[in-house]
Amino acid sequence: MRVIRSANCTVLAAGLLVSVAGCGGGGSGKAPAPSTGGSLKGVTLEVAAIWTGQEQDKFKQVLAAFSKQTGAKVNLTPTGDNVSTFLGSKVQGGAPPDVAMLPQQGVLAQFADKGWIKPLGTGAEAAVRQNYSKVWQDLGSNKGKLYGVYFKASNKSTIWYRAKAFGDAGIQQPPTSWDQLVKDSGTIADSGTTPFAVAGGDGWTLTDWFENVYASSAGTANYDKLSKHQIKWTDPTVKDALRRLAAIWGQKNFVVGGAIQTDMPTSVTQAFGDAAKAAMVYEGDFVPGVIGEQTKAKVGTDAKFFPFPAVGQQPPVVGGGDAAVVMKDSKGAQELTKYLASPEAARVWAKLGGFTSPNKALDLAAYPDDIQRQIAKSVIDAGDSFRFDMSDLAPAAFGGTKGAGEWKQLQDFLSNPTDVDGAAQKLETEAAKAFKS
């Protein structure tokens, strides 16, 4: 589930609502225009993507807009959760899709090294260079060549809270610092409500907790080093982040019981369902989708969010994204990636909701409500300080395997947050094995 906007609009900055005039996407000039006039009439393209359900339906509308402009017919193929295995089998069988959406940056680099994907054409590359911050260009590159267009992003630096629980505890403003978050959690606990629902049953959510704390407390330079295993998981910066997590995970009255068996959707219902137990749940900008599907709470009134608070000098902005890559070097494939790099393509899905674009040329007015505008703006404003989900950058054996590696060690730490040194050593042992192989 690595699976987020008017002349005047309301945005959230450092946890405070402020009014911003002329709130646009921040782009300058015009992006290279996508193909028009039926230039691909008679061409059939296959696109492979992980999305299902509503996400798949919305992406199909993006592809339909491309078809209407160019005349191309586009078929969408679901990959299943294991994208790299699915696409690898297609390559080995001699039938790769024209374009694939890759949800992990490490897979993009792996595919580029194997020659399974092609560098972007001049039109798509020009659009990416103009419409995306350097960090997104770098994430889409391998060994100096640009391969990917990050069409969809996720903001995993959001904490969602039940407004009534904050009101009952007398908390008028969401916290903007980690210390204040810990203090407010104590106040909420004293009011009779458990502060947090934690989805410990899904190990990836715990990696997201760690990444936000680490990015802010240790800084982005150390974040980059740790993601490449250039510093060890026994480093003092890692232990400091674990101790800070223990300030919440280690307080029995701060976390709803049974967290180690709780999956992400259940944690959301624990905060916003009819029998709500918690005041807050941490996870990314996909939480509103779960709220809407599984609870009666209304996002923006009953359920609100604040940016993950600053642990160090700067608040973190950590997330992920899905990159469009060319697997067949055809004119149609290159034209589609060029289109996906345009604000026109992003606007189609943005208007439908449940989407965040890292394309800075997209006007924030395209998003349907203030919540989604706030989330998208934080990604754009982060610029080159945005950091990709660290576990998605690591070898899958460490950062992406259920019941193993980082997932398992952080689950163990959630169960026993007192042994910081032991947890750090176990993380280092697992990381060393994965990066060596």
Side-chain angles (χ1 to χ4, degrees):
M1 191 156 183
R2 298 284 192 210
V3 203
I4 24 158
R5 270 179 182 159
S6 85
N8 292 311
C9 66
T10 303
V11 299
L12 194 68
L16 299 176
L17 284 172
V18 295
S19 178
V20 178
C23 180
S28 59
K30 292 185 177 180
S35 298
T36 57
S39 60
L40 297 176
K41 188 175 181 179
V43 173
T44 298
L45 299 172
E46 181 186 7
V47 179
I50 194 172
W51 298 313
T52 59
Q54 290 186 359
E55 286 186 309
Q56 183 184 90
D57 292 341
K58 291 173 182 179
F59 186 51
K60 283 182 177 179
Q61 294 191 47
V62 176
L63 298 178
F66 174 76
S67 295
K68 184 176 182 180
Q69 281 194 5
T70 64
K73 179 181 179 181
V74 185
N75 297 320
L76 181 59
T77 299
T79 64
D81 290 337
N82 198 331
V83 178
S84 61
T85 299
F86 175 88
L87 294 174
S89 66
K90 288 289 188 180
V91 172
Q92 298 299 331
D98 296 274
V99 172
M101 307 300 299
L102 301 183
Q104 292 178 303
Q105 196 275 342
V107 173
L108 183 150
Q110 177 188 15
F111 280 17
D113 287 340
K114 291 183 176 182
W116 289 0
I117 58 177
K118 316 298 181 183
L120 294 180
T122 55
E125 180 173 0
V128 172
R129 300 293 185 201
Q130 182 161 337
N131 295 338
Y132 290 78
S133 299
K134 184 176 181 297
V135 65
W136 292 102
Q137 297 177 35
D138 291 345
L139 287 167
S141 299
N142 186 62
K143 297 178 180 176
K145 294 183 179 181
L146 185 60
Y147 289 89
V149 176
Y150 273 91
F151 177 66
K152 187 177 187 291
S154 62
N155 181 346
K156 292 189 175 184
S157 295
T158 53
I159 295 179
W160 300 84
Y161 70 98
R162 188 156 44 90
K164 185 178 186 302
F166 269 47
D168 290 345
I171 298 173
Q172 298 182 348
Q173 294 287 351
T176 58
S177 72
W178 182 260
D179 289 344
Q180 188 63 48
L181 176 64
V182 174
K183 182 178 179 181
D184 286 350
S185 295
T187 301
I188 292 168
D190 290 343
S191 74
T193 298
T194 305
F196 275 99
V198 175
D202 287 327
W204 59 266
T205 67
L206 306 183
T207 71
D208 294 343
W209 270 96
F210 173 82
E211 289 155 6
N212 276 276
V213 172
Y214 190 81
S216 184
S217 62
T220 54
N222 281 324
Y223 186 99
D224 294 341
K225 292 177 182 177
L226 186 62
S227 69
K228 300 172 184 176
H229 202 221
Q230 293 175 348
I231 59 177
K232 294 184 177 182
W233 284 75
T234 49
D235 191 86
T237 58
V238 174
K239 293 181 180 180
D240 176 68
L242 292 173
R243 290 189 187 96
R244 292 178 186 276
L245 285 172
I248 288 180
W249 292 0
Q251 296 289 337
K252 291 183 179 180
N253 60 342
F254 278 17
V255 176
V256 174
I260 201 64
Q261 287 86 35
T262 302
D263 61 20
M264 197 283 291
T266 300
S267 72
V268 175
T269 61
Q270 287 177 345
F272 300 106
D274 290 341
K277 302 176 181 178
M280 294 175 280
V281 63
Y282 158 69
E283 248 314 328
D285 52 17
F286 38 81
V287 167
V290 181
I291 294 174
E293 290 174 1
Q294 301 195 15
T295 80
K296 297 176 183 178
K298 294 182 178 179
V299 175
T301 52
D302 306 318
K304 300 182 178 182
F305 88 97
F306 56 91
F308 201 99
V311 185
Q313 292 184 345
Q314 297 292 331
V317 183
V318 175
D322 297 270
V325 298
V326 173
M327 300 196 76
K328 287 183 181 178
D329 199 4
S330 62
K331 180 182 178 182
Q334 294 289 358
E335 287 296 330
L336 178 55
T337 54
K338 177 182 174 182
Y339 173 72
L340 292 175
S342 72
E344 289 81 9
R347 187 177 300 114
V348 175
W349 195 337
K351 288 182 177 180
L352 300 173
F355 174 82
T356 291
S357 173
N359 190 322
K360 61 185 180 181
L362 175 65
D363 192 333
L364 294 174
Y367 294 94
D369 56 59
D370 282 342
I371 291 287
Q372 292 179 79
R373 277 188 284 271
Q374 293 160 17
I375 292 170
K377 186 175 187 299
S378 66
V379 170
I380 298 299
D381 286 353
D384 292 340
S385 66
F386 179 94
R387 284 299 179 271
F388 206 85
D389 184 313
M390 189 188 298
S391 62
D392 283 349
L393 299 174
F398 180 67
T401 301
K402 185 176 182 179
E406 187 184 3
W407 292 22
K408 175 62 164 59
Q409 297 310 318
L410 288 178
Q411 286 175 320
D412 289 349
F413 185 65
L414 174 64
S415 296
N416 179 23
T418 61
D419 188 10
V420 169
D421 289 344
Q425 183 57 61
K426 290 177 182 178
L427 284 161
E428 171 56 25
T429 299
E430 294 296 321
K433 287 193 299 184
F435 277 88
K436 184 177 181 180
S437 62

